[in-house]
Amino acid sequence: MSHGHSAGPGAADGVAVLATLPDATWADRWDDIVVDPGVKSRLLGHALFSLTQRAGRSRVALPVSGLALLAGAPGTGKTTLAHGLANEAAGVLARRGIAAETVFAVVDPHAFPSEFLGESQRAVARLFKRTLPDLAADGRPLVVLVDEVEALAPSRHHASFTTNPVDVHRATAAVLTGVDELSARCPNVLILVTTNEPRAVDAAFVSRADLVESFDLPGLEAAQVILASTLREFGTGLDGDADAVKRLAELCVDQHMDARQVRKSVLRAVIGNGADLALSPEGLSHQDLWDAVSAGSPG
Ligand SMILES: Nc1ncnc2c1ncn2[C@@H]1O[C@H](COP(=O)(O)OP(=O)(O)OP(=O)(O)O)[C@@H](O)[C@H]1O
Ligand SMILES: [Mg+2]
């Protein structure tokens, strides 16, 4: 998914998005992602610790890498919450007078084409040894997001037979050394990585993470909150009927919908029922909604 802010002038090599936080318009990326409250609290704690407390501490006595791994099925909120986390941490640091600004950088996955692993490996080395340390050099907290890390650090153990294992080995090793160097040199950096497939991520990479959080498909309670918030966003008023929302949520859970599909099922009800509704979605009827959710997810 893309989150607005594209890399502007001065954006660095291998970095797709560069933003300065906090940004009030990002609050929904934290508030509207429904996960177990423990997940948000641990992620925020780790972010604040990593961005402010690593300087001057022994890396042997306290092997903190500043790396957190967000793992889970597609559509469970990993990418969105990573953005939200960066913004939330930036907000705390700003309000407490610790840092007025936090820099947020998203690594560009297209900068490391896996067809050219030798090329990739050099680009990865450049990113971690030069580009990211340069961004961190002015001392502002820096949050780096590597989305879908299995592409960048594929498991050396499970490397496919079509790629040259020596190349996979080198590319993954370059990411590992890169992360080690970045976290050693820059105590003001937090590295967030997401994956759909934790088993496809190299074990040595996973072991460097200070925190691994798994994102699950929404259960009944989460599905109710997500449905209600989507209905509210459309201005339908249907979110006021808690019993109806609960029955719809049960349908979503029975169909093993991920959170993205839950929200899209409401969208499908709105766009599948004529021009009037598409132009005035607040007129959505309970029946149209029920039919769309019963029809299940398209994919
Ligand atoms: N846990 C959640 N709570 C509420 N909404 C969610 C949640 N997860 C996903 N969504 C909705 O789905 C959209 C897409 O989520 P996002 O891209 O963050 O998922 P992801 O886990 O990164 O998926 P992928 O693995 O496919 O990249 C969000 O913008 C939001 O509208
Ligand atoms: Mg994602």
Side-chain angles (χ1 to χ4, degrees), residues 153-167:
S155 166
R156 290 167 289 188
H157 193 67
H158 293 111
S160 91
F161 293 109
T162 53
T163 44
N164 180 343
V166 175
D167 282 347

